[in-house]
Amino acid sequence: MNQIINIALPKGRLGEKVYNIFEMAGYPCPSIKEDSRKLIFENSEAGIRYFWVKPSDVAIYVERGAADIGVAGKDILLEYSPDIYELLDMNMGKCRMAVAGKSTFRDNTQRPLKVATKFSNIAQEYYSSLGRDIDIIKLQGSIEIAPILGLSDVIVDIVETGTTLRENNLEVLETIVPISARLISNKVSFKFKNNEIETIVNKIGKVIKEV
Ligand code: PRP
């Protein structure tokens, strides 16, 4: 008998798109679309149980085995390096990790560069690779305000459409890495629920190619 596969979906706009892909792949759970505060949805016939989690928490659920698989942004995977398998590029949630600042920004190499970011590991690694000393200012959101108020010289953040930067008179100074959503798996689940997980990956892969 097939075992139930627990799937952590990122709550929000991306998660809804991801669910639609799973639905098209043959793993529907219509109650998930009802307007409610419920977080867990099961379709035992299809052998799946979905739960909505904060996008940045998906990798934690998967790494610790509370979810067998999930969909997480490459930004989170790069920042936290969770011990998981990355199985598939979902080709959605596309954006880039970038350095941004005022158009007038000029780097003063006589002192450490002040970098505001949610992604301190990505920022640290990037600037280490350039041999540039930085002073990380770790923020939780609205990072764009930091260089405007002089809290930092630049920011390292996600840029999708570029609207947030534009509307705050900032611009991309350097692109660090392209980002997209990835299907990830718990390592033990991948071994012991291999058939089920491989089947899901194949079906999702086919749908992604079609859409
Ligand atoms: C992200 C990111 C930027 C914005 C970029 O923020 O931190 O602020 O999206 O998108 P854009 O290029 O399309 O304008 P998010 O909405 O995740 O909220 P946050 O401020 O809490 O990080």
Side-chain angles (χ1 to χ4, degrees), residues 1-5 28-29 41-49:
M1 205 190 102
N2 281 358
Q3 305 181 73
I4 283 262
I5 300 295
C29 196
F41 302 86
E42 183 172 321
N43 178 349
S44 44
E45 267 173 42
I48 42 100
R49 184 184 297 123

Side-chain angles (χ1 to χ4, degrees), residues 1 18 39-40 57 59 71 76 128 138 143 159 164-165 170:
M1 205 190 102
V18 169
L39 296 171
I40 303 178
D57 289 341
V71 174
I76 300 297
S128 295
K138 174 112 186 178
I143 318 290
V159 179
T164 312
L165 291 181
L170 300 173

